[in-house]
Amino acid sequence: MSKLSNAGKTHQVDSRLNPDSTQINQLFHISTFYHFFPLTDLDAVKVDLCKIAEKHKTLGLVIIGPEGLNSTVAADSAEALMQFKKELQDHFQIQIENFKDSFSDAPPFRRFSTKIRDEIVTAGLPGRSPEPGINHHLSPEEWDHVLKNEKDFVLIDTRNWYEYKIGTFKGAINPNIEKFTEFPAFFESQHIPKEKKILIFCTGGIRCEKGILELQDKGYDNVFQLNGGILKYMAEKPRQEFEGECFVFDNRVAVNADLQPSQVYKLCPHCGQPAHIKIECKRCDEPALLCESCLELEWKKDTCSKNCSYQYSINPHKKGKHQVQHYEAARLKK
Ligand SMILES: [Zn+2]
Ligand SMILES: [Zn+2]
């Protein structure tokens, strides 16, 4: 057992000494990172990554592309996560600038997996990746200073509408997009003067790496991105200019100001977006959280799952037992 202090809270770290233990206060150490560098033979990269993950008992997802790696991983001890990071960097001979670390009591992933993609962040710009080094990046400190002291700038959230909705920077514009590939069209529609100072941000910084290239191609030279994204800002400047929670791409759904898993949001059982409205299922009577959009749809409304919604639609007067989903069942068995 070792102790780890995070944002004023002390957690007991159980390094899985007893795998049969039903203790739930085990702490998972999570890290989000990316690195742009040329990769060839992506299948071999995949094999190497799986070996490294297996060796250090790491769970998570790595997106592999010819332009680099983009990932969130988790391990059940700080030591294991550190060894994973070290071996990954040694293996590929890279120096990753920003590891955005956080914690969770529940495993944020069920296994380790990789995906091979043309782009490590989908921007519709395959083959166009940032040069090594700094391209108009502001540190959380510099970013905070601009937001607090300057007036003449445009602040744009490059994330999706539902990410914006659960938390963003004070005064940020919501592009109201479904996916990042829609960002350029949104930007065009704003007719922002070329010389205007523009600040863009995203979760961990990777979308902005591509976003900034796109804006620079259009002749905007006064664009800046938040280095390390919201996650790094929240770690260095908690409860300052960012309001609400930050959406993350794993079981935690979002993290709060202490970078702890959200206590407010779960994934909507119908559509997979963040959900926070409590309902009681009209078929099985189990409580569930739904998102606002699904709550408006007659056939999803007040049901806890796709199954209950379907069963209710064919037989509205009949009650039935709650159907435990596969992953839930696996977790309960542990
Ligand atoms: Zn929904
Ligand atoms: Zn139900």
Side-chain angles (χ1 to χ4, degrees):
M1 289 281 221
S2 61
K3 275 190 173 178
L4 185 135
S5 173
N6 178 45
K9 286 184 188 168
T10 304
H11 293 268
Q12 291 289 326
V13 182
D14 177 347
S15 26
R16 229 179 242 183
L17 295 171
N18 176 6
D20 297 328
S21 163
T22 49
Q23 203 176 335
I24 51 158
N25 60 352
Q26 178 178 7
L27 192 62
F28 286 84
H29 298 250
I30 305 161
S31 195
T32 300
F33 61 90
Y34 63 83
H35 194 71
F36 284 97
F37 67 114
L39 280 174
T40 49
D41 195 356
L42 304 186
D43 288 319
V45 169
K46 184 179 174 142
V47 171
D48 293 346
L49 281 169
C50 289
K51 273 187 202 151
I52 299 171
E54 199 183 339
K55 185 164 155 197
H56 302 293
K57 296 192 176 57
T58 316
L59 310 173
L61 172 65
V62 185
I63 313 281
I64 307 166
E67 60 186 6
L69 303 172
N70 179 17
S71 175
T72 300
V73 291
D76 62 6
S77 75
E79 176 65 19
L81 188 62
M82 201 187 77
Q83 291 300 333
F84 174 86
K85 291 174 181 175
K86 186 180 179 304
E87 190 161 343
L88 178 104
Q89 294 182 98
D90 289 350
H91 180 85
F92 293 104
Q93 296 184 315
I94 55 175
Q95 191 74 45
I96 296 174
E97 198 207 341
N98 283 318
F99 284 105
K100 279 86 53 179
D101 293 343
S102 51
F103 309 90
S104 174
D105 288 334
F109 298 97
R110 287 152 61 207
R111 57 174 180 271
F112 181 81
S113 60
T114 58
K115 282 182 184 161
I116 295 182
R117 296 268 165 83
D118 287 344
E119 288 183 284
I120 57 171
V121 58
T122 309
L125 295 171
R128 184 87 169 83
S129 46
E131 301 289 323
I134 292 291
N135 180 15
H136 286 216
H137 292 68
L138 296 183
S139 68
E141 182 74 47
E142 293 164 330
W143 180 268
D144 197 63
H145 188 267
V146 174
L147 296 192
K148 285 181 173 139
N149 298 290
E150 293 186 20
K151 288 220 154 51
D152 195 19
F153 61 83
V154 182
L155 176 64
I156 312 176
D157 195 331
T158 65
R159 301 170 307 152
N160 310 337
W161 66 268
Y162 57 83
E163 299 181 88
Y164 175 94
K165 207 168 161 187
I166 68 171
T168 192
F169 281 101
K170 293 174 194 165
I173 295 173
N174 176 13
N176 214 2
I177 51 178
E178 290 280 344
K179 46 186 191 292
F180 185 54
T181 44
E182 295 169 9
F183 184 73
F186 159 79
F187 189 84
E188 291 275 351
S189 74
Q190 298 300 295
H191 305 290
I192 299 169
K194 291 264 153 65
E195 64 289 348
K196 190 82 178 174
K197 182 168 190 168
I198 300 168
L199 304 185
I200 58 171
F201 64 92
C202 60
T203 316
I206 189 168
R207 279 178 267 191
C208 291
E209 297 281 357
K210 291 237 173 173
I212 206 161
L213 294 178
E214 185 118 25
L215 301 190
Q216 286 172 335
D217 287 351
K218 290 189 206 299
Y220 288 89
D221 285 327
N222 208 8
V223 196
F224 298 89
Q225 61 181 302
L226 173 56
N227 196 10
I230 299 164
L231 293 176
K232 189 155 189 248
Y233 179 89
M234 285 171 100
E236 291 184 19
K237 299 270 171 194
R239 297 182 181 79
Q240 297 296 307
E241 297 296 305
F242 189 86
E243 291 181 315
E245 300 196 335
C246 178
F247 183 85
V248 292
F249 304 88
D250 57 59
N251 293 348
R252 294 171 296 166
V253 184
V255 293
N256 63 23
D258 298 319
L259 295 177
Q260 298 287 328
S262 177
Q263 299 300 310
V264 180
Y265 296 95
K266 293 258 178 286
L267 288 184
C268 175
H270 294 291
C271 70
Q273 281 161 8
H276 72 288
I277 305 166
K278 289 193 184 103
I279 59 125
E280 214 160 78
C281 180
K282 54 193 177 188
R283 163 94 185 164
C284 73
D285 295 331
E286 288 285 327
L289 295 179
L290 293 199
C291 79
E292 284 164 24
S293 342
C294 289
L295 205 67
E296 282 170 14
L297 299 170
E298 201 46 51
W299 57 281
K300 290 181 176 174
K301 191 171 137 187
D302 297 334
T303 53
C304 75
S305 57
K306 287 178 177 155
N307 180 63
C308 279
S309 159
Y310 173 71
Q311 297 297 340
Y312 184 84
S313 71
I314 52 173
N315 205 341
H317 304 295
K318 207 174 151 199
K319 291 276 182 187
K321 251 177 102 184
H322 178 64
Q323 299 284 316
V324 178
Q325 298 188 349
H326 293 313
Y327 70 87
E328 241 181 293
R331 212 173 55 200
L332 292 173
K333 233 196 262 169
K334 266 189 188 168

